[in-house]
Amino acid sequence: MKKLILLWAFLFVSVVSAAEYHGNRQSGIYHGPQCRYYFCKNCTVIFKSEKEARQAGYRRCKKEK
């Protein structure tokens, strides 16, 4: 059971670290995969990293942890 939990944790960290960020073109806000607004219908811009989103003039969602 411990091995299964460790494997799941490793996979989760791998997916989150390689994740895309979704930007809302209307608000200029980007959301990471852990944000509840990640799949909002207005989030049509895809960024490969937070740095890319910030360089494009977007700011991080304040609801994100």
Side-chain angles (χ1 to χ4, degrees):
M1 184 67 174
K2 280 187 176 183
K3 288 182 182 180
L4 181 61
I5 292 171
L6 289 174
L7 177 61
W8 181 86
F10 172 77
L11 292 174
F12 177 77
V13 169
S14 298
V15 168
V16 169
S17 64
E20 298 175 327
Y21 293 83
H22 293 179
N24 183 324
R25 193 179 305 272
Q26 293 176 348
S27 66
I29 298 172
Y30 70 89
H31 308 276
Q34 66 278 12
C35 182
R36 67 189 229 192
Y37 299 109
Y38 185 69
F39 293 108
C40 82
K41 66 179 180 177
N42 295 323
C43 293
T44 57
V45 184
I46 306 297
F47 299 106
K48 293 180 183 177
S49 67
E50 283 190 83
K51 182 179 179 181
E52 183 182 352
R54 287 191 305 272
Q55 287 176 339
Y58 286 73
R59 72 163 175 83
R60 184 181 188 138
C61 177
K62 292 181 180 177
K63 305 284 183 187
E64 262 187 75
K65 294 180 181 180

